[in-house]
């Protein structure tokens, strides 16, 4: 098979991948890192937020201490987390270095832990905050998009330890988009760099088809003129460009990779499985072996 034939094969394979975007979105959509709330009541105490001593809390949501801790972990999205009403709260914040996230863990004490957990699941559902139960851990977990680049994540479950019971939950904000084009990841994938399309946010993931493995880079909040300008930039860089009407194909004859990219208007992006109301340019980078 010559290079052109391989290129066309990968191109149509990539078009099939983009055409099924709604299906792969459900399989590989944004999600939160797995965090199981710790159950260690003996070593847990009320943790004061040092920066909150002079803060005036106008509207108490949980209690003053919990609210102060949540203002650190959730920031301006604190009101997007439904309150779990309980008899007493003990809370603390921890920083997860692996994921670089600030996590608030809240122990909500109640005389009926199982009922409290079910009530909270109903409250989350009414607030359009979906959660699923893990059959192994018994904990519920889920996330809700609160901004184009931010997910409010939650994991919780009931606990009973000696004479204490209630619900323990952990919550945090996770950013699932980048402000810088992931050139390092491109290099790791093809051992080369590509021209950078100018967009507001980026996300990337490895996609697998029956024919090849591709690096998908989604470029958010990019207008149609920038999409066409990117094709011009590639052409000026020496790439052979093919315009297929609803997608471009680009290949540098001196290298061993190709790029396919398509544009979706804000309305079209939602239809094919993207969240939000921004236009998206989908790039698919693949190796030509």
């Amino acid at each position: 098979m010559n290079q052109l034939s391989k290129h066309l094969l990968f191109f149509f394979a990539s078009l099939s991948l983009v055409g099924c975007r709604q299906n792969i979105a459900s399989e590989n959509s944004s999600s939160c890192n797995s965090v199981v709330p710790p159950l260690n009541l003996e070593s847990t105490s009320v943790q004061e937020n040092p920066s909150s001593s002079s803060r005036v809390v106008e509207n108490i949501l949980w209690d003053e201490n919990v609210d102060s801790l949540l203002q650190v972990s959730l920031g301006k999205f604190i009101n997007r987390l439904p309150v779990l009403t309980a008899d007493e709260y003990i809370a603390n914040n921890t920083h997860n270095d692996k994921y670089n996230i600030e996590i608030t863990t809240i122990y909500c004490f109640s005389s009926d832990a199982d009922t409290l957990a079910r009530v909270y699941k109903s409250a989350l559902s009414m607030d359009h905050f979906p959660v699923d139960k893990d059959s192994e851990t018994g904990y519920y977990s889920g996330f809700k998009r609160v901004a184009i680049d931010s997910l409010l994540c939650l994991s919780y479950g009931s606990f009973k330890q000696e004479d204490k019971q209630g619900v323990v939950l952990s919550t945090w904000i996770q950013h699932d988009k980048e402000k810088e084009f992931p050139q390092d990841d491109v290099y790791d994938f093809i051992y080369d760099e590509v021209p950078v399309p100018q967009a507001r946010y980026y996300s990337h993931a490895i996609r697998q088809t029956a024919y090849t493995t591709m690096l998908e880079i989604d470029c958010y909040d990019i207008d149609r003129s920038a999409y066409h300008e990117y094709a011009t930039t590639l052409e000026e860089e020496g790439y052979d460009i093919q315009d297929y009407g609803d997608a471009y194909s680009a290949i540098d004859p001196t290298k061993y990779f190709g790029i396919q990219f398509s544009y979706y208007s804000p309305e079209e992006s939602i239809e094919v499985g993207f969240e939000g109301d921004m236009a998206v340019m989908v790039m698919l980078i693949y190796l030509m072996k």
Side-chain angles (χ1 to χ4, degrees):
M1 183 181 294
N2 60 36
Q3 192 179 48
L4 177 59
S5 297
K6 288 182 179 179
H7 176 59
L8 290 175
L9 176 62
F10 289 133
F11 175 71
F12 289 117
S14 66
L15 282 185
S16 175
L17 180 62
V18 174
C20 296
R21 185 65 177 79
Q22 195 160 12
N23 293 330
I24 66 172
S26 62
E27 298 172 5
N28 300 288
S29 60
S30 300
S31 61
C32 291
N33 295 312
S34 178
V35 174
V36 176
L39 184 55
N40 189 11
L41 295 177
E42 286 77 8
S43 62
T44 299
S45 59
V46 174
Q47 176 181 321
E48 298 293 345
N49 176 15
S51 63
S52 68
S53 57
S54 61
R55 178 183 294 137
V56 176
V57 180
E58 297 180 357
N59 298 305
I60 303 298
L61 298 174
W62 300 69
D63 66 21
E64 289 191 18
N65 178 64
V66 174
D67 286 4
S68 295
L69 296 171
L70 288 173
Q71 285 174 342
V72 176
S73 60
L74 304 186
K76 64 182 180 180
F77 304 117
I78 182 174
N79 291 305
R80 304 295 294 274
L81 177 69
V83 176
L84 175 54
T85 303
D87 299 332
E88 179 189 0
Y89 302 109
I90 293 180
N92 59 65
N93 274 9
T94 56
H95 186 80
N96 186 302
D97 293 329
K98 179 179 180 181
Y99 301 123
N100 191 29
I101 53 178
E102 189 77 13
I103 303 171
T104 296
T105 297
I106 311 170
Y107 297 86
C108 311
F109 296 96
S110 170
S111 59
D112 190 343
D114 293 334
T115 297
L116 189 63
R118 290 195 298 270
V119 168
Y120 195 50
K121 184 176 186 300
S122 298
L124 291 168
S125 178
M126 292 178 62
D127 197 53
H128 306 289
F129 197 133
V131 293
D132 294 310
K133 188 174 184 178
D134 188 309
S135 58
E136 294 184 5
T137 65
Y139 283 94
Y140 292 93
S141 62
F143 66 90
K144 181 176 184 179
R145 182 165 297 285
V146 290
I148 186 63
D149 66 335
S150 303
L151 304 174
L152 196 166
C153 305
L154 173 69
S155 182
Y156 76 94
S158 59
F159 72 87
K160 296 178 182 179
Q161 191 176 87
E162 297 180 351
D163 61 337
K164 299 177 181 179
Q165 62 175 305
V167 169
V168 55
L169 65 88
S170 290
T171 184
W172 64 99
I173 293 293
Q174 183 166 313
H175 300 290
D176 66 332
K177 293 180 178 62
E178 309 152 62
K179 292 186 178 180
E180 300 293 331
F181 184 79
Q183 193 71 273
D184 289 345
D185 296 273
V186 172
Y187 189 87
D188 290 342
F189 188 70
I190 60 173
Y191 301 105
D192 209 332
E193 295 184 346
V194 300
V196 176
Q198 298 303 312
R200 183 178 176 188
Y201 295 107
Y202 306 91
S203 64
H204 64 283
I206 299 296
R207 305 299 188 198
Q208 185 73 49
T209 73
Y211 302 99
T212 190
T213 301
M214 300 181 183
L215 174 64
E216 176 181 336
I217 303 176
D218 301 325
C219 309
Y220 296 84
D221 200 14
I222 182 171
D223 58 38
R224 194 176 294 273
S225 62
Y227 161 68
H228 293 300
E229 288 170 5
Y230 187 61
T232 301
T233 299
L234 289 171
E235 189 169 31
E236 292 173 348
E237 292 284 334
Y239 288 77
D240 290 335
I241 303 295
Q242 295 293 325
D243 185 353
Y244 291 88
D246 57 352
Y248 280 103
S249 169
I251 182 170
D252 187 329
T254 66
K255 300 177 181 179
Y256 294 91
F257 64 86
I259 307 173
Q260 322 296 341
F261 50 105
S262 305
Y263 179 85
Y264 297 92
S265 68
E267 297 76 17
E268 292 168 337
S269 68
I270 295 175
E271 290 176 359
V272 298
F274 286 99
E275 299 171 307
D277 57 355
M278 291 186 177
V280 182
M281 185 179 86
V282 178
M283 296 177 60
L284 297 170
I285 303 174
Y286 60 89
L287 288 169
M288 297 179 61
K289 301 177 180 179

